[in-house]
Amino acid sequence: MKIENDRVVRFHYSVAEAGKDTLESSKEGGQPIAILFGRGQIIPGLEKAMEGREVGDSFKAAVNAGEAYGERREGLTQRVPKKHFGGQKLVPGMQVVLQTNFGPRAVVIEKVGMSVVDVDLNHPMAGKDLEFDIEIVDVREASEEELAHGHVHGEGGHHH
Ligand code: ZN
């Protein structure tokens, strides 16, 4: 079965900045990612690269910053009270996940003060050209319930 919009796709990925070491890989956790394809649940460049592929396909996809996490934007530094970081040791350049009103968000530590921390709200991979290694594990039709909810149920998806 080919990858098309509104099908459920499970895949392994690893991603690196072009020409560099792997930044993250789904194989570390052992579980493939599950998405409802064509709903913007992954970056646009990857969606394009995956369309039409089949179970068992392994391939590399080069995705430039504009089709990945976008270009870096200036002026996205924000000052956050240190207590929001829950006592972990903070070092400039470090990537942490901050709980915000809009849900968890990956940020990069810029400067650590006595009681406040400056963080860069750009996505840590913004402005970077990325290289993905993709392995398609499973492709199936989505259920009506999944289509209505807009996400995958069961293995690798939501349980509710
Ligand atoms: Zn649901």
Side-chain angles (χ1 to χ4, degrees):
M1 182 175 287
K2 282 191 192 318
I3 295 177
E4 286 176 16
N5 284 353
D6 288 346
R7 284 185 171 158
V8 171
V9 180
R10 291 197 309 132
F11 65 98
H12 273 298
Y13 76 97
S14 57
V15 59
E17 194 176 344
K20 297 195 178 166
D21 292 339
T22 301
L23 289 169
E24 57 184 53
S25 170
S26 59
K27 287 184 177 166
E28 282 163 24
Q31 284 299 321
I33 306 286
I35 59 161
L36 189 53
F37 194 77
R39 301 282 186 109
Q41 294 176 353
I42 54 174
I43 57 171
L46 199 50
E47 223 157 38
K48 273 188 202 164
M50 284 172 62
E51 184 153 26
R53 302 280 186 167
E54 296 181 52
V55 176
D57 281 358
S58 287
F59 56 94
K60 290 183 188 301
V63 180
N64 62 33
E67 296 235 282
Y69 293 95
E71 301 298 339
R72 282 183 59 81
R73 290 190 291 148
E74 296 305 318
L76 282 187
T77 296
Q78 193 162 316
R79 186 154 282 185
V80 182
K82 213 173 192 173
K83 60 173 190 239
H84 289 230
F85 295 89
Q88 60 182 315
K89 183 157 170 47
L90 302 171
V91 180
M94 181 180 167
Q95 189 181 315
V96 297
V97 175
L98 195 58
Q99 302 301 326
T100 73
N101 293 338
F102 309 102
R105 178 153 184 183
V107 302
V108 177
I109 304 293
E110 278 189 341
K111 209 166 97 188
V112 183
M114 288 293 286
S115 60
V116 293
V117 179
D118 289 348
V119 298
D120 180 355
L121 295 180
N122 278 294
H123 190 283
M125 290 190 206
K128 294 180 177 171
D129 296 333
L130 301 176
E131 284 176 355
F132 288 87
D133 257 311
I134 303 294
E135 184 188 323
I136 308 298
V137 175
D138 188 36
V139 182
R140 63 170 170 83
E141 300 289 357
S143 69
E144 279 182 25
E145 194 183 45
E146 285 172 321
L147 290 173
H149 288 198
H151 56 230
V152 177
H153 291 163
E155 209 176 345
H158 287 239
H159 297 274
H160 62 108

